[in-house]
Amino acid sequence: MAKRKLIADAVNGPKGKKVKKDIILQPVVSSDDPIPRQIKWTNKQRTLIFSSRGISYRTRHLMIDLRTLMPHSKPEPKMDRKDKLFIINEICEMKNCNKCLYFEGKKKQDVYLWASNVPKGPSVKFLVENIHTMSELKLTGNCLKGSRPLLSFDKAFSSEPHWQLLKELFVQIFGTPNHHPKSQPFTDHVFTFSIQDNRIWFRNYQILAEDGSLAEIGPRFVLNPIRIFAGSFGGATLYQNPNYISPNDFRRALRRQKADKYSHRVDTKISQQLRKPEFSYQMDPTDEVFNTISENDVKRK
């Protein structure tokens, strides 16, 4: 009896409990064989992606592209712009999401992106520039829907603390959890984050072959960080970008530049008239003594 009990404990565990066995993949697997997958997934990262009312069509297509590329994302109807931002924390709690990407449109031309860790923070506010979606013809790449991406970061993300914080936040938001029910067991595209001109450039490439050749899929956009907050959608300011120029100030500077160009042209014309003498040069009155007046000159006068 004791020997049978030891054998049963070795198979089912002590007290009759079943022991969970990890799946070990073979070093060589045929492409036709089904790949065994874990039934449960331990990384419970879920990202809520939605926007406010008043966004442009290009921003709407960008949001749909991100939902397509991120199988661990969840949608939500548009939020009214009059509502406070802290309401998003309650929406994420109802949707069972711990990360959020919120697109905020202003003046039907400016797009802001909030990336937040719900509910304790931190959160970052970006200005989104140079948006190009997957539907554009010049982006010829393609990838399997639901496949897990590789995340590639520039070396500059390790240079300063605020870049390190943004890198960790992007890893948790854009990284698809392993063995997610909606994900595919393939890795055929790369999310690239690079820093240039104090901005974050996002690109998505398809892995064509084993030699490392890539083809851009899209979408592509540029994130200009504005401020990093300690809490979710608010709180103390951890970092503020000193090189940030708001779109309103930029457009005001362009209008002022055009106005200065017109005023400079008017001032130049006035100064030219003031510097112009009444007589170009002094004439000698005796030079007209020998001028004969014809009949035509008399008729003209």
Side-chain angles (χ1 to χ4, degrees):
M1 294 294 292
K3 187 175 180 180
R4 292 181 180 178
K5 185 177 181 182
L6 291 175
I7 296 174
D9 292 343
V11 175
N12 299 328
K15 299 181 181 180
K17 294 182 180 178
K18 294 184 178 180
V19 178
K20 182 180 178 181
K21 296 182 179 180
D22 294 333
I23 297 175
I24 301 175
L25 299 178
Q26 299 296 329
V28 179
V29 181
S30 176
S31 59
D32 298 332
D33 297 339
I35 299 178
R37 299 175 58 187
Q38 294 282 1
I39 298 176
K40 294 183 179 180
W41 48 293
T42 57
N43 186 5
K44 299 293 183 179
Q45 299 288 346
R46 299 182 184 89
T47 304
L48 181 66
I49 302 177
F50 72 116
S51 67
S52 65
R53 296 188 182 276
I55 62 173
S56 62
Y57 71 95
R58 187 178 292 272
T59 308
R60 185 174 67 253
H61 284 286
L62 173 63
M63 182 177 59
I64 295 174
D65 292 344
L66 290 179
R67 289 177 183 173
T68 305
L69 293 173
M70 300 167 60
H72 63 290
S73 63
K74 288 188 177 182
E76 175 69 15
K78 295 180 180 179
M79 192 178 74
D80 195 353
R81 288 181 294 180
K82 296 181 181 179
D83 295 337
K84 302 296 182 181
L85 292 178
F86 64 86
I87 300 178
I88 301 177
N89 297 326
E90 300 178 1
I91 298 175
C92 292
E93 184 179 358
M94 291 186 295
K95 288 286 186 177
N96 197 16
C97 295
N98 52 3
K99 299 293 183 293
C100 180
L101 290 177
Y102 174 67
F103 291 89
E104 184 179 7
K106 293 184 178 180
K107 294 187 176 181
K108 296 183 180 180
Q109 54 184 344
D110 302 331
V111 183
Y112 297 91
L113 174 63
W114 284 86
S116 176
N117 179 28
V118 181
K120 296 182 179 180
S123 59
V124 191
K125 185 178 182 180
F126 299 98
L127 174 66
V128 186
E129 302 171 343
N130 300 332
I131 299 175
H132 298 276
T133 60
M134 294 175 61
S135 58
E136 298 185 7
L137 297 178
K138 61 182 179 181
L139 304 177
T140 58
N142 192 8
C143 66
L144 181 66
K145 183 177 181 181
S147 60
R148 299 180 66 229
L150 293 175
L151 301 182
S152 175
F153 289 91
D154 192 1
K155 293 182 179 179
F157 277 95
S158 303
S159 59
E160 297 183 12
H162 63 279
W163 295 125
Q164 296 177 4
L165 189 147
L166 292 178
K167 177 182 177 181
E168 181 62 28
L169 188 63
F170 287 153
V171 167
Q172 297 183 15
I173 290 178
F174 291 95
T176 302
N178 193 13
H179 305 298
H180 190 277
K182 294 183 180 179
S183 66
Q184 299 292 335
F186 301 101
T187 302
D188 58 353
H189 62 111
V190 184
F191 287 166
T192 304
F193 299 89
S194 56
I195 297 176
Q196 186 71 24
D197 298 333
N198 294 320
R199 291 171 172 83
I200 300 174
W201 300 66
F202 175 86
R203 296 291 184 270
N204 182 23
Y205 295 99
Q206 177 193 1
I207 303 175
L208 296 178
E210 296 180 357
D211 57 352
S213 58
L214 302 175
E216 187 172 359
I217 304 174
R220 58 161 67 173
F221 54 88
V222 180
L223 298 177
N224 188 3
I226 302 174
R227 187 173 296 186
I228 301 177
F229 298 94
S232 179
F233 296 98
T237 301
L238 299 179
Y239 170 78
Q240 186 174 0
N241 189 3
N243 301 319
Y244 171 72
I245 300 175
S246 65
N248 293 331
D249 294 340
F250 182 74
R251 287 189 290 265
R252 189 183 300 112
L254 290 179
R255 291 194 298 267
R256 189 179 301 154
Q257 185 178 2
K258 293 181 180 179
D260 293 343
K261 184 178 179 181
Y262 172 75
S263 61
H264 179 69
R265 187 168 65 249
V266 173
D267 294 340
T268 303
K269 187 176 181 180
I270 294 175
S271 63
Q272 183 181 3
Q273 292 177 356
L274 294 176
R275 288 184 285 104
K276 185 178 181 181
E278 185 178 358
F279 300 99
S280 59
Y281 58 92
Q282 295 295 333
M283 298 179 61
D284 189 2
T286 59
D287 293 340
E288 299 180 357
V289 174
F290 299 100
N291 291 343
T292 57
I293 301 175
S294 61
E295 296 180 359
N296 295 329
D297 295 338
V298 174
K299 292 179 181 180
R300 289 176 185 176
K301 293 182 179 180

